[in-house]
């Protein structure tokens, strides 16, 4: 059974700091990995999607890497801003009797001005 | 539509009543997903549809939960005889095709269910 773990559960950093969020998954037979952002009381917004054949994706100040063999992904946020404060969720696309996406519990990020 | 639309956005119901939650996916999206998120928790997979069929119903918590999708579009999640532990946000999402690795999943704003 695929399990997704995110570390740390919560993180508080001063504005301007570069930071890394970690995600690990137990079954390397995935077809993609996505990072989402969730603001309080809102739905999820997709940030980056990495296909299983890819190693990383970049969008603005965000860079996500994928190491399928070790079951790990990292989300790197450069020059953090207060507006980056949100919960970041990692999700893996897996096939177990059908294609579905399994989520981690998220990392709650607070960027202090 | 422009995005995934869910209704109602908020629902307060009495224990034991039935509730229906509706999801209208992005036009042209063949895959539709239901997740549940309890307060402060991650997302719990419930069920997904590819077209009108549901290949994986393993996430439905009990036989009080059911879902259907008709016409390859709108989906309804029904909870019968609601219990207080059913209180959560029910999130719906859609994507072009669940089997393609490059397809991003788009989420609705969720239906907040409170059982009193």
């Amino acid at each position: 059974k695929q399990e997704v773990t995110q570390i740390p559960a919560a993180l508080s950093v001063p504005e301007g700091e570069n930071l890394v969020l970690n995600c690990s998954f137990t079954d390397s037979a995935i077809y993609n990995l996505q990072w989402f952002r969730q603001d309080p009381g809102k739905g999820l917004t997709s940030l980056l999607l990495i296909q299983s054949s890819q190693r990383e994706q970049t969008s603005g100040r965000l860079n996500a890497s994928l190491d399928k063999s070790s079951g790990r992904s990292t989300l790197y946020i450069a020059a953090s801003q207060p507006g980056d404060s949100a919960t970041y969720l990692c999700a893996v696309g897996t096939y177990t009797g059908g294609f579905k996406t399994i989520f981690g519990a998220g990392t709650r990020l607070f960027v202090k001005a | 539509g422009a995005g995934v639309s869910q209704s109602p956005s908020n629902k307060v119901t009495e224990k034991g009543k039935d509730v229906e939650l509706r999801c209208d996916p992005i036009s042209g999206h063949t895959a539709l997903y239901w997740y549940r998120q309890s307060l402060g928790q991650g997302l719990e997979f419930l069920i997904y549809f590819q077209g009108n069929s549901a290949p994986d119903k393993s996430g439905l918590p009990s036989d009080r939960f059911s879902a259907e999708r008709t016409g390859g579009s709108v989906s309804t999640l029904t909870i019968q005889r609601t219990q207080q532990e059913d209180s959560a946000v029910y999130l719906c999402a859609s994507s072009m095709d669940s089997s393609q690795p490059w397809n991003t999943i788009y989420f609705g704003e969720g239906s907040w269910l409170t059982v009193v």
Side-chain angles (χ1 to χ4, degrees):
Chain A
K1 177 186 174 185
Q2 178 73 267
E3 293 183 358
V4 182
T5 304
Q6 291 189 244
I7 295 173
L11 182 63
S12 180
V13 301
E15 182 177 6
E17 191 161 298
N18 301 326
L19 58 101
V20 174
L21 307 181
N22 295 291
C23 171
S24 61
F25 45 94
T26 54
D27 186 349
S28 62
I30 65 170
Y31 58 87
N32 66 23
L33 185 143
Q34 297 182 72
W35 282 93
F36 290 85
R37 168 183 174 140
Q38 185 175 32
D39 292 284
K42 299 289 186 181
L44 280 70
T45 301
S46 178
L47 298 173
L48 291 164
L49 180 151
I50 310 175
Q51 297 179 47
S52 62
S53 59
Q54 298 173 328
R55 295 297 298 261
E56 67 176 346
Q57 284 288 332
T58 298
S59 175
R61 293 183 294 108
L62 305 179
N63 176 274
S65 66
L66 172 63
D67 184 343
K68 234 179 56 165
S69 61
S70 68
R72 295 178 187 277
S73 175
T74 60
L75 178 66
Y76 175 82
I77 302 177
S80 58
Q81 303 171 357
D84 294 332
S85 299
T87 298
Y88 291 81
L89 294 106
C90 167
V92 296
T94 183
Y95 182 84
T96 50
F99 296 94
K100 64 185 179 186
T101 298
I102 306 297
F103 283 78
T107 293
R108 188 178 301 175
L109 173 65
F110 180 63
V111 181
K112 298 171 286 188
Chain B
V4 178
S5 178
Q6 292 188 246
S7 61
S9 54
N10 283 284
K11 175 75 176 179
V12 180
T13 190
E14 292 181 353
K15 179 181 173 181
K17 297 280 180 115
D18 297 352
V19 296
E20 282 190 355
L21 307 176
R22 174 189 166 104
C23 174
D24 196 348
I26 293 173
S27 178
H29 281 193
T30 61
L32 185 147
Y33 314 82
W34 283 100
Y35 290 86
R36 179 169 72 174
Q37 187 175 34
S38 300
L39 189 62
Q41 302 297 311
L43 271 71
E44 175 189 5
F45 169 81
L46 298 179
I47 188 171
Y48 93 96
F49 292 89
Q50 180 60 45
N52 290 335
S53 64
D56 189 344
K57 304 179 182 179
S58 63
L60 293 176
S62 74
D63 58 7
R64 296 186 295 105
F65 287 72
S66 63
E68 65 174 14
R69 188 180 187 195
T70 56
S73 182
V74 172
S75 175
T76 302
L77 177 68
T78 301
I79 309 172
Q80 296 178 309
R81 305 181 302 282
T82 52
Q83 304 293 313
Q84 288 185 329
E85 61 263 28
D86 299 334
S87 297
V89 179
Y90 290 83
L91 290 161
C92 177
S94 70
S95 68
M96 286 286 289
D97 184 329
S98 62
S99 65
Q100 301 306 319
W102 51 82
N103 284 326
T104 298
I105 297 175
Y106 297 89
F107 278 82
E109 295 280 299
S111 289
W112 294 68
L113 175 65
T114 303
V115 181
V116 297

